[in-house]
């Protein structure tokens, strides 16, 4: 029974039509059976949380962005294509000739992306609509995403990652082994945005550096924003899982402890052979005996330390979120009362900068373990900035003779989405129609992993 569960994804992938450029599952399974079998077992990592349900304040903070529609916790690599296909964030097909969501949203979900970029060119690929290339995504995150095809040699196949390392003068072939181990993960576990002036290609904003401050400097210098908050009119940018950046400044990085060290620990097969486990677990403490105890002598003490760090960071984050929600609505009340940009600019920029730092901390998976010092610094600064925004807004509201601000009910996901005008029932109905008419009928089998009836 256990073997059949592990091989579910493997069998599914082997049943797909041949893709000459990337189809090498049988070869890799034969050459690296242990690694292959552990990779296939990522299908077991199927649990995820509805983070909007768990923390409805996110709906308000991301109002106007697709993240306010649906946002779940990450799960196994086996679900990468299916989850991005089914989420409300990617919507549905658009009429022929119209521009919809960029195909760049596929970039980190499949090794078919580098194949298509090589065929089409990066800008031509990115200029396509997301839905138009769904039929091409025939493989989930796989060997070729991290290794030279057919071998164990590490590789960096995505153009945005290659260019990012050029910006910091650390090309892949000049990196030490710990950096390379983390860099292959950091192709995707990194923050990025789509460059509108270059057909929405994926770009990592490291021109000035990769800290929250330096990336903010880059965005502000470019006067770049991804959406306008509909309540406060704040021009916002979204941080996206900047694990690589935060790891690079951590004690682990300084000691040569990589992403692979903790999340892909060594395992031993029945014949006593040691191999790197490619199941890629999220809870690194499960590898304590093989990895952590070399430096952390007590599992109980380490667990307690991490639990406290997680709780402390979460408490700070909830405080900042509540203040940001209030700031957005106080700004909205000021606009409604006749405020102009000359009056509002300073407060709006404080909101922008505060939310950026909060997001840079909280959109990262496991920052409490990766770099808790940075998490506290980000949230402390975010608190300071949103407090400054609210002080300015209080003065503006007083001058405009506004005596009451109507804050929303965001006690539940449903209430929060109602407050910002999201009709979840209608969005779900439209998405389901697209799934039934397009994904179910025309897209490859990997787009259904975890969604089969």
């Amino acid at each position: 029974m256990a073997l059949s569960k592990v091989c579910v994804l493997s069998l599914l992938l082997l049943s797909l039509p041949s893709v000459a450029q990337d189809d090498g599952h049988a070869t890799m399974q034969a050459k690296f059976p242990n690694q292959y079998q552990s990779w296939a077992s990522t299908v077991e990592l199927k649990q995820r949380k509805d983070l909007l349900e768990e923390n409805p304040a996110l709906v308000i903070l991301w109002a106007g962005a697709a993240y306010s529609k649906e946002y779940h916790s990450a799960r196994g690599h086996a679900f990468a294509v299916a989850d991005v296909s089914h989420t409300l964030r990617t919507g549905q097909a658009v009429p022929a000739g119209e521009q919809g969501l960029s195909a760049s949203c596929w970039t980190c979900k499949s090794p078919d992306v580098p194949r298509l970029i090589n065929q089409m060119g990066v800008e031509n690929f990115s200029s396509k609509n997301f839905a138009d290339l769904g039929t091409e995504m025939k493989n989930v995150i796989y060997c070729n995403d991290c290794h030279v095809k057919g071998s164990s040699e590490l590789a960096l196949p995505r153009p945005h990652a290659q260019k990012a390392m050029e910006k910091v003068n650390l090309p892949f072939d000049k990196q030490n082994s710990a950096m390379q181990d983390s860099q292959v993960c950091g192709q995707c576990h990194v923050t990025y945005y789509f460059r509108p002036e270059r057909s929405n290609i994926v770009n990592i904003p490291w021109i000035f550096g990769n800290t929250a401050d330096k990336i903010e400097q880059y965005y502000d210098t470019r006067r770049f924003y991804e959406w306008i908050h509909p309540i406060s009119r704040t021009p916002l940018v979204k941080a996206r899982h900047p694990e690589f950046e935060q790891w690079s400044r951590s004690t682990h990085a300084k000691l040569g402890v990589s992403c692979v060290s903790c999340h892909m620990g060594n395992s031993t097969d029945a014949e006593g052979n040691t191999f790197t486990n490619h199941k890629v677990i999220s809870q690194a403490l499960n590898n304590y005996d093989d990895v952590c105890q070399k430096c952390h002598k007590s599992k109980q003490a380490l667990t307690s330390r991490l639990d406290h760090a997680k709780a402390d960071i979460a408490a700070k984050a909830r405080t900042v979120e509540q203040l940001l929600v209030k700031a957005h609505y106080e700004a909205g009340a000021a606009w409604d009362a006749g405020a102009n940009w000359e009056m509002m600019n300073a407060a709006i920029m404080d909101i922008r900068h505060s939310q950026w730092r909060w997001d840079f901390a909280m959109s990262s998976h496991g920052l409490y373990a990766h770099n808790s010092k940075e998490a506290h610094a980000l949230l402390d600064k975010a608190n300071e900035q949103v407090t400054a925004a609210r002080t300015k807004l209080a003065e503006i509201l007083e001058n405009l003779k506004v005596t009451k601000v109507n804050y929303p009910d965001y006690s539940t996901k449903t209430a929060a989405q109602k407050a910002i005008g999201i009709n979840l029932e209608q969005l779900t109905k439209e998405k389901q129609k697209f799934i039934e008419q397009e994904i179910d009928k025309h897209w490859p089998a990997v787009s259904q992993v975890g969604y089969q009836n």
Side-chain angles (χ1 to χ4, degrees):
M1 179 64 71
L3 180 59
S4 64
K5 286 173 64 179
V6 168
C7 292
V8 166
L9 182 64
S10 173
L11 292 172
L12 175 63
L13 292 167
L14 287 170
S15 70
L16 294 178
S18 176
V19 182
Q21 294 88 342
D22 282 316
D23 186 35
H25 293 278
T27 299
M28 297 303 283
Q29 186 173 17
K31 289 183 68 174
F32 305 100
N34 290 323
Q35 290 87 342
Y36 187 95
Q37 188 174 4
S38 62
W39 163 80
S41 68
T42 63
V43 75
E44 297 174 355
L45 303 173
K46 60 185 178 181
Q47 299 301 318
R48 61 175 182 168
K49 298 178 181 178
D50 183 340
L51 297 179
L52 300 183
E53 192 73 64
E54 190 174 87
N55 185 8
L58 302 179
V59 174
I60 305 297
L61 300 184
W62 292 331
Y67 287 87
S68 62
K69 301 174 184 177
E70 182 178 348
Y71 184 63
H72 285 83
S73 58
R75 56 178 174 173
H77 283 162
F79 303 95
V81 171
D83 282 347
V84 77
S85 300
H86 285 72
T87 179
L88 294 175
R89 298 213 306 270
T90 55
Q92 55 187 307
V94 297
E98 293 188 16
Q99 184 63 46
L101 185 70
S102 170
S104 286
C105 285
W106 286 115
T107 298
C108 286
K109 307 304 181 183
S110 171
D112 290 301
V113 171
R115 170 179 68 84
L116 290 169
I117 288 176
N118 287 335
Q119 290 175 357
M120 302 167 65
V122 63
E123 289 196 46
N124 191 29
F125 168 82
S126 301
S127 68
K128 301 296 183 185
N129 287 325
F130 173 84
D132 293 342
L133 296 183
T135 56
E136 292 286 347
M137 302 303 157
K138 302 173 183 179
N139 299 274
V140 293
I141 297 166
Y142 177 60
C143 309
N144 296 347
D145 283 306
C146 303
H147 298 278
V148 174
K149 186 177 179 180
S151 78
S152 61
E153 181 183 351
L154 294 177
L156 202 66
R158 284 166 173 76
H160 69 266
Q162 297 165 8
K163 291 180 180 178
M165 298 318 293
E166 291 172 5
K167 293 174 186 176
V168 296
N169 298 313
L170 191 59
F172 191 67
D173 61 356
K174 302 299 183 184
Q175 297 173 11
N176 61 36
S177 59
M179 177 64 80
Q180 286 189 339
D181 281 351
S182 295
Q183 176 79 87
V184 294
C185 303
Q187 293 180 85
C188 298
H189 290 266
V190 67
T191 202
Y192 63 89
Y193 74 104
F194 298 165
R195 288 187 68 178
E197 75 278 14
R198 287 199 60 193
S199 305
N200 288 318
I201 67 168
V202 177
N203 190 48
I204 297 178
W206 290 357
I207 289 294
F208 300 128
N210 69 8
T211 65
D213 289 352
K214 293 299 183 180
I215 296 174
E216 176 187 83
Q217 180 186 352
Y218 171 75
Y219 286 146
D220 285 355
T221 299
R222 292 198 64 205
R223 301 181 185 275
F224 177 78
Y225 62 90
E226 293 178 282
W227 84 99
I228 301 288
H229 196 281
I231 309 300
S232 67
R233 304 188 196 178
T234 304
L236 294 167
V237 284
K238 181 77 181 70
R240 295 172 176 88
H241 42 70
E243 287 90 31
F244 180 77
E245 296 96 316
Q246 292 158 348
W247 166 84
S248 71
R249 292 183 285 276
S250 70
T251 300
H252 279 159
K254 293 174 183 176
L255 294 175
V257 179
S258 69
C259 305
V260 170
S261 302
C262 297
H263 296 282
M264 299 173 65
N266 289 332
S267 294
T268 305
D269 66 14
E271 286 73 41
N273 299 311
T274 300
F275 65 96
T276 302
N277 193 314
H278 282 58
K279 192 172 183 178
V280 194
I281 59 172
S282 59
Q283 294 298 321
L285 273 176
N286 292 342
N287 289 329
Y288 176 84
D289 291 341
D290 293 325
V291 180
C292 308
Q293 69 172 347
K294 296 174 184 177
C295 297
H296 302 278
K297 302 307 179 184
S298 167
K299 184 175 182 179
Q300 182 178 358
L302 178 58
T303 301
S304 177
R305 175 181 170 185
L306 290 174
D307 286 345
H308 279 97
K310 187 174 183 179
D312 290 346
I313 291 167
K316 280 190 178 182
R318 300 299 86 82
T319 297
V320 172
E321 290 156 10
Q322 292 169 16
L323 295 175
L324 278 167
V325 169
K326 290 181 177 180
H328 281 299
Y329 276 84
E330 288 159 0
W335 289 120
D336 291 344
N340 57 44
W341 273 107
E342 185 177 1
M343 299 165 61
M344 296 287 287
N345 184 66
I348 292 299
M349 289 301 288
D350 281 340
I351 294 174
R352 170 182 165 91
H353 293 159
S354 175
Q355 184 154 324
W356 164 250
R357 282 171 179 75
W358 160 81
D359 211 350
F360 201 80
M362 302 317 295
S363 289
S364 179
H365 305 309
L367 182 55
Y368 69 95
H370 296 153
N371 196 332
S372 61
K373 181 179 179 180
E374 180 162 322
H376 282 289
L378 287 166
L379 292 170
D380 287 343
K381 186 63 176 181
N383 192 318
E384 176 186 323
Q385 290 170 318
V386 71
T387 299
R390 295 190 68 212
T391 299
K392 294 180 179 77
L393 289 167
E395 183 177 346
I396 294 168
L397 291 170
E398 182 179 2
N399 291 337
L400 294 172
K401 303 189 184 322
V402 176
T403 59
K404 182 180 180 182
V405 175
N406 294 316
Y407 302 110
D409 172 15
Y410 60 99
S411 57
T412 65
K413 170 184 169 181
T414 299
Q417 290 182 328
K418 181 179 178 181
I420 64 169
I422 286 180
N423 186 333
L424 189 62
E425 182 178 353
Q426 181 63 29
L427 289 173
T428 302
K429 182 179 178 180
E430 292 171 355
K431 183 70 179 190
Q432 189 57 39
K433 181 179 178 181
F434 173 65
I435 291 170
E436 292 171 358
Q437 293 183 351
E438 296 294 332
I439 296 177
D440 290 349
K441 292 181 180 180
H442 305 298
W443 290 21
V446 291
S447 66
Q448 298 290 353
V449 176
Y451 293 89
Q452 303 94 331
N453 293 327

